[in-house]
Amino acid sequence: MAKDTPQTFYLKDYTPFGYDVESVHLTFRLTPETTRILSRIRFAPKPDATDSTFFLHGEDLTLISARIDGQAVTPDLVEGGLKCEVPGTPFTWEAEVEINPAGNTALEGLYMSNRMYCTQCEAEGFRKITYYPDRPDVMSTFTVRIEGDEPVMLSNGNPMGQGEGWAEWHDPWPKPAYLFALVAGDLVNYAGAFTTRSGKEVELNIWVRPGDEGKCAFGMEALKKSMKWDEDVYGLEYDLDLFNIVAVDDFNMGAMENKGLNIFNSSCVLASPETSTDANFERIEAIIAHEYFHNWTGNRITCRDWFQLCLKEGLTVFRDAQFTADMRSEPVKRIDDVIALRARQFPEDGGPLAHPPRPEEFQEINNFYTATVYEKGAEVIGMLKRLVGDDNYYKALKLYFERHDGQACTIEDWLKVFEDATGRDLQQFKLWYSQAGTPRLKVSEDYADGTYTLTFEQSTPPTPGQPDKAPRVIPVAVGLLSPNGDEVRATEVLELTEAKQSFSFDGLAARPVPSILREFSAPVILQRETTNAERAFLLAHDTDPFNRWEAGNALAKETRVTMVLDGDAPDAAYLDALEKLVRDDDQDPAFRALVLTPPSQADIAQTLHERGFTPDPQKIYDAAETFAQTLAQQLETSLPRLYAATTADGAYVPDAEGAGKRALNGRILSLLTRLDGGDQAARQYAAADNMTQQYAALAALMKAEKGAAQSQAFFDQWQDDRLVMDKWFALQIACAAPEKTAATAAALTRHALFDMKNPNRFRAVMGALAGNHAGFHHASGEAYQLLADNLIALDTLNPQTTARMCAAFQTWKRYGTGRQSLIRAQLTRIANAPDLSRDTTEMVTRILDA
Ligand code: PHE
Ligand code: ZN
């Protein structure tokens, strides 16, 4: 199809496929450039079919031959697949196709990564392997034979046999094609075992390239913990005798939940204390859990069509967040998630790419693996759970698994189990799935005669295609504190259903201080006139840890905003409050670290924009620097003691407690480095025996422009470790001053180890460029141009990763006219690049249409 007439797919057009697929047999004859795939598929026409067109998807395939019931046929090759005349009774379809895995740089379908064959079929990659009804509502059992010289050849399900040059697999669970997987190569396994609560022995393996065996132990433990947790909390057991994980170096996303054969970006599974930071460990644990949890929420119950993506992703993110909260710290996990939501989902929801958690149209589904589908999808489930209560939530989930096991479902099915389990009408709640945009919640208050009244007004700004929004159901968790700091009303959940609504609390002896939206009970933006004194009061007294952090965060933002707008010095009262908290050894180190972590510069830009100002990235950067310098000076006498007190003793353990302590230690070190010229950081770098401390020291030094020697030493030590080198690439750009950011990134793209074909490396450089707020938006426009150059170059190789990175430009309309015209020029240049992919065309067009 011509590039200027892209096809749009609509939810309202859904029609079931006219045939059941009773079984699928595949034979792979592996060679790097000319792999042959023979398919034998049993189709049965559905008696009640509304559309009996026999259309099979297929892309980049060379059809060698096709047969129906043994007779050669000549199908009609059409755009995106083939059509064929077929019998009106059950029949066997056979096809032989040829593909080129070695030439597949898009990393979709069957491709090669480091001499290893692997597949990625979600969302629509199976059609690059053979002709098939490549849609999630078509489910079947797969039997797979792999022929080749690779020592290890894996597919889904259970092994059926193997011999010299072949292996056979059978997956007894019917599945959509997007869950198909095959891996073949020179791999070694790190083995484990798990006994399910009903006594079934499950063999576990993490398959890696020889040399990486030492980085599997943590992932294996995380897998076992996940299996146990899903039994304990959701009553869900694993359902095969074998669970395989494979680490792959070239992968577009984090990981993939293929049935019984999860494929992971190696950055999301390989870990060791020497090479991984605390943040890496936590993320790996969460992603292993996430993919494992998909076995029920995604695989046993899948999606009817890709518009329903949040059915599996929102729920699975919600489940992995519950898991992390249980394994580590609930408040810290919540705070981290809200920071991420505001950093990634709020900009999406407030810009040209805004879409509802369940979109109603798309051109390229790969462009909808978004923060809105994943993270907001999870927030919506969190609200639902809060509204119905914990017991009802688990009752509804039980019904969901009983009623829909083995099915391909919709959001309607999901909400219906909640309605049936609780008797609640969720019609209005459903708006969360169909409306885009972040609701604003304006709060006003009144106090008279012992009665305190809170009035909420909700509104949601227009988003593309949705000028007007109806009021939603918003659960607002509220607690009240008395002026002496005691809690006079414990948390209760107010249920907003109208555009404007009031709630009263009586019998109060004095005007209370409200703590609103505790635990961040809804993904909204709260608008309330308040004072810094009240924020400081809540930072000191709130019983809800999330809101305590939120009060500190609001203070930090207020201070930064005033510094930017009025050129003021940092707020003294806030500095005092911070100092008090940091020095208070009775407080949880992880919490102190979070309060000491400055709001991101992008967040300040968003806040300014929200209030009607045009953010100036350089001024925001300067304010951040001034603030940090002032804070360091204020803490000068305490820093050495704090540094010593938070330095972990004993062996490195990547648990929540140790990580919290090291996070605080890292914050202290970064402040100390502003005063001591890097002496302490250099000592820490030299002594570090784990990546968390080595990296923190290097980051502090690089930020102070004192890290040249250590950076070289780091390179020499780690140049053969791809994952550690990604850190080295990213850190140089993240630490560069605004005027040097683009040049630093440009130089790194010329480095011998820069490799565009590896998404991790590309993201390390280009992601860090886009993530350095003041550097990316430097008035020269050099960074915009560098990113555009690289996106254009990558698009011919890997459209999916290119398209995702275009989102770096999504906030362009909030900046001044000079920057806007620089960005528009780059977006236009990308849009006009010859043969631009459908993925990138859709993204750039949507962003330009802002
Ligand atoms: N389904 C994967 C997950 O959420 C993500 C993914 C999507 C991976 C598309 C690859 C391709 O776990
Ligand atoms: Zn997922």
Side-chain angles (χ1 to χ4, degrees):
M1 192 153 309
K3 163 177 144 184
D4 47 355
T5 56
Q7 193 182 351
T8 302
F9 299 91
Y10 297 94
L11 169 60
K12 63 174 166 52
D13 291 345
Y14 174 80
T15 28
F17 187 52
Y19 301 81
D20 285 320
V21 178
E22 293 174 342
S23 64
V24 178
H25 285 78
L26 302 172
T27 299
F28 287 78
R29 300 201 171 126
L30 298 176
T31 64
E33 280 161 19
T34 53
T35 285
R36 290 277 172 113
I37 296 119
L38 289 75
S39 59
R40 196 170 81 246
I41 306 168
R42 208 44 210 165
F43 285 101
K46 288 184 190 161
D48 55 348
T50 47
D51 179 0
S52 308
T53 314
F54 187 75
F55 171 77
L56 302 181
H57 296 101
E59 260 173 46
D60 304 340
L61 303 172
T62 304
L63 180 64
I64 307 295
S65 65
R67 279 178 300 187
I68 290 180
D69 291 333
Q71 296 293 310
V73 291
T74 311
D76 206 3
L77 297 184
V78 296
E79 175 69 36
L82 61 74
K83 286 183 181 165
C84 198
E85 288 293 326
V86 298
T89 50
F91 59 93
T92 301
W93 161 270
E94 288 172 284
E96 179 167 357
V97 301
E98 187 171 293
I99 59 174
N100 175 5
N104 180 352
T105 56
L107 314 182
E108 232 182 19
L110 177 65
Y111 64 95
M112 302 207 71
S113 169
N114 257 319
R115 295 181 307 281
M116 173 177 145
Y117 294 87
C118 64
T119 56
Q120 174 51 47
C121 294
E122 186 178 5
E124 299 180 333
F126 192 75
R127 62 190 63 183
K128 295 183 165 184
I129 292 176
T130 192
Y131 289 99
Y132 195 75
D134 187 8
R135 36 186 296 167
D137 59 343
V138 172
M139 297 166 86
S140 187
T141 54
F142 283 64
T143 308
V144 176
R145 179 180 167 88
I146 311 170
E147 297 175 3
D149 324 317
E150 305 301 327
V152 174
M153 300 193 282
L154 310 171
S155 190
N156 315 83
N158 298 315
M160 302 301 287
Q162 65 176 78
E164 193 53 37
W166 64 275
E168 280 181 10
W169 293 82
H170 176 72
D171 182 359
W173 296 103
K175 64 168 177 289
Y178 83 86
L179 292 173
F180 168 82
L182 177 150
V183 170
D186 183 12
L187 296 166
V188 289
N189 66 321
Y190 180 94
F194 182 80
T195 310
T196 69
R197 62 173 185 174
S198 67
K200 202 159 82 124
E201 282 294 328
V202 184
E203 178 189 332
L204 312 174
N205 290 302
I206 300 180
W207 295 92
V208 296
R209 295 191 312 143
D212 284 337
E213 303 90 322
K215 291 183 175 179
C216 299
F218 180 81
M220 181 58 77
E221 283 317 301
L223 175 59
K224 292 183 204 166
K225 283 191 214 166
S226 308
M227 296 177 87
K228 176 80 168 66
W229 185 91
D230 217 11
E231 292 185 349
D232 292 348
V233 178
Y234 281 85
L236 299 172
E237 253 184 62
Y238 187 59
D239 55 4
L240 286 166
D241 305 329
L242 176 61
F243 189 84
N244 281 321
I245 286 177
V246 185
V248 171
D249 285 331
D250 302 284
F251 202 74
N252 282 329
M253 308 278 277
M256 180 63 211
E257 69 265 22
N258 316 298
K259 185 81 188 188
L261 181 54
N262 285 189
I263 297 183
F264 274 63
N265 185 323
S266 49
S267 72
C268 297
V269 52
L270 301 181
S272 74
E274 299 72 38
T275 57
S276 313
T277 63
D278 286 322
N280 295 149
F281 278 104
E282 178 170 339
R283 185 168 131 84
I284 286 167
E285 184 177 83
I287 296 181
I288 287 184
H290 179 98
E291 305 311 331
Y292 174 73
F293 296 157
H294 266 315
N295 190 55
W296 276 94
T297 51
N299 302 3
R300 287 287 286 259
I301 302 181
T302 192
C303 303
R304 186 192 71 175
D305 53 67
W306 292 118
F307 299 102
Q308 321 293 331
L309 182 58
C310 74
L311 177 74
K312 74 176 175 82
E313 295 305 346
L315 178 54
T316 306
V317 170
F318 181 73
R319 275 153 48 70
D320 83 54
Q322 287 183 297
F323 169 79
T324 298
D326 283 357
M327 294 300 123
R328 292 167 181 263
S329 151
E330 187 171 354
V332 171
K333 173 62 177 165
R334 189 64 189 139
I335 293 164
D336 285 343
D337 281 352
V338 174
I339 292 171
L341 190 78
R342 286 175 174 156
R344 305 199 313 121
Q345 202 277 327
F346 279 22
E348 186 168 274
D349 232 356
L353 300 175
H355 55 278
R358 181 174 68 178
E360 281 161 30
E361 57 177 277
F362 62 73
Q363 289 169 17
E364 172 50 64
I365 185 58
N366 283 334
N367 289 334
F368 284 83
Y369 286 77
T370 59
T372 298
V373 168
Y374 277 66
E375 275 76 32
K376 188 170 178 178
E379 290 297 320
V380 172
I381 294 176
M383 286 189 286
L384 191 52
K385 180 161 176 280
R386 203 178 290 275
L387 288 168
V388 303
D390 286 3
D391 291 351
N392 275 329
Y393 171 80
Y394 287 105
K395 206 169 122 193
L397 267 285
K398 193 163 169 279
L399 183 59
Y400 181 60
F401 296 116
E402 279 165 14
R403 186 183 285 178
H404 294 297
D405 188 11
Q407 298 178 1
C409 293
T410 60
I411 290 302
E412 282 73 18
D413 295 326
W414 162 253
L415 289 175
K416 185 79 168 59
V417 297
F418 277 83
E419 297 197 319
D420 291 353
T422 67
R424 221 185 140 102
D425 178 351
L426 292 171
Q427 207 48 44
Q428 189 187 2
F429 184 80
K430 196 179 166 192
L431 291 171
W432 280 106
Y433 284 103
S434 58
Q435 289 189 163
T438 309
R440 309 301 197 260
L441 205 55
K442 217 168 142 191
V443 188
S444 53
E445 56 216 281
D446 186 53
Y447 178 74
D449 305 328
T451 299
Y452 177 70
T453 304
L454 279 172
T455 301
F456 297 95
E457 280 173 83
Q458 59 162 306
S459 65
T460 305
T463 52
Q466 294 188 333
D468 304 304
K469 308 284 200 309
R472 310 184 205 200
V473 185
I474 305 181
V476 185
V478 171
L480 300 180
L481 302 169
S482 80
N484 70 8
D486 293 341
E487 187 167 82
V488 285
R489 290 286 282 256
T491 305
E492 53 198 285
V493 180
L494 310 178
E495 255 183 70
L496 241 71
T497 53
E498 282 151 44
K500 183 171 181 183
Q501 218 170 337
S502 297
F503 299 84
S504 291
F505 306 82
D506 49 23
L508 296 164
R511 184 189 184 98
V513 178
S515 166
I516 304 172
L517 212 64
R518 283 184 158 181
E519 285 178 49
F520 202 63
S521 60
V524 301
I525 294 174
L526 208 57
Q527 296 175 335
R528 174 168 173 265
E529 304 265 329
T530 176
T531 60
N532 278 350
E534 192 185 288
R535 293 187 181 104
F537 173 87
L538 287 171
L539 173 60
H541 298 290
D542 204 326
T543 56
D544 179 67
F546 176 81
N547 261 4
R548 216 152 74 77
W549 169 81
E550 180 77 315
N553 183 49
L555 275 172
K557 281 199 214 175
E558 278 319 309
T559 305
R560 230 55 65 89
V561 164
T562 348
M563 289 173 74
V564 170
L565 292 179
D566 309 335
D568 287 358
D571 183 74
Y574 173 52
L575 286 167
D576 290 343
L578 259 189
E579 177 172 11
K580 188 155 168 271
L581 194 113
V582 174
R583 291 169 57 174
D584 182 352
D585 292 335
D586 294 336
Q587 303 270 350
D588 176 16
F591 185 78
R592 286 191 277 164
L594 279 166
V595 177
L596 262 189
T597 304
S600 76
Q601 291 170 42
D603 195 1
I604 301 300
Q606 179 160 304
T607 306
L608 285 165
H609 169 68
E610 194 63 35
R611 298 187 190 175
F613 299 102
T614 300
D616 178 339
Q618 183 66 43
K619 280 194 181 160
I620 295 174
Y621 174 87
D622 292 340
E625 286 298 306
T626 306
F627 185 85
Q629 197 63 36
T630 315
L631 179 63
Q633 269 144 13
Q634 167 131 357
L635 289 172
E636 182 163 16
T637 50
S638 338
L639 285 175
R641 177 195 74 78
L642 281 167
Y643 178 79
T646 56
T647 300
D649 32 26
Y652 174 88
V653 182
D655 58 4
E657 202 193 323
K661 221 171 158 190
R662 284 184 292 271
L664 179 55
N665 185 250
R667 302 298 329 153
I668 305 285
L669 181 66
S670 78
L671 292 169
L672 191 53
T673 306
R674 289 179 177 272
L675 305 179
D676 76 351
D679 292 348
Q680 188 61 59
R683 280 196 294 276
Q684 174 168 321
Y685 185 88
D689 64 355
N690 62 79
M691 182 51 70
T692 306
Q693 285 173 315
Q694 189 178 18
Y695 185 81
L698 182 60
L701 288 165
M702 306 254 297
K703 185 84 198 31
E705 300 192 329
K706 295 246 158 56
Q710 286 81 2
S711 176
Q712 184 60 48
F714 192 91
F715 178 87
D716 293 342
Q717 183 181 359
W718 296 116
Q719 55 183 311
D720 295 328
D721 188 308
R722 289 234 238 172
L723 298 175
V724 181
M725 284 318 289
D726 289 335
K727 298 186 201 305
W728 182 81
F729 274 89
L731 190 59
Q732 297 178 63
I733 301 162
C735 293
E739 67 282 4
K740 293 185 188 158
T741 307
T744 305
L748 287 171
T749 62
R750 294 187 293 268
H751 194 280
L753 293 181
F754 180 71
D755 174 10
M756 270 213 171
K757 288 187 181 163
N758 177 249
N760 290 356
R761 189 59 46 88
F762 187 83
R763 278 188 290 254
V765 174
M766 290 300 141
L769 177 66
N772 182 329
H773 186 257
F776 184 56
H777 293 288
H778 189 262
S780 69
E782 279 169 41
Y784 302 148
Q785 180 168 354
L786 181 65
L787 179 61
D789 286 346
N790 279 276
L791 291 175
I792 291 168
L794 186 67
D795 190 64
T796 59
L797 299 167
N798 185 336
Q800 200 181 328
T801 291
T802 308
R804 292 178 73 81
M805 294 224 53
C806 290
F809 290 119
Q810 69 178 329
T811 54
W812 67 297
K813 284 278 163 109
R814 67 166 68 138
Y815 298 97
T817 50
R819 288 183 172 87
Q820 282 193 28
S821 64
L822 289 168
I823 296 177
R824 181 184 290 107
Q826 297 307 328
L827 285 168
T828 309
R829 191 160 69 90
I830 300 172
N832 292 330
D835 299 319
L836 197 69
S837 67
R838 178 177 59 202
D839 307 53
T840 305
T841 303
E842 181 185 23
M843 291 295 277
V844 177
T845 312
R846 284 163 68 202
I847 296 171
L848 269 172
D849 280 350

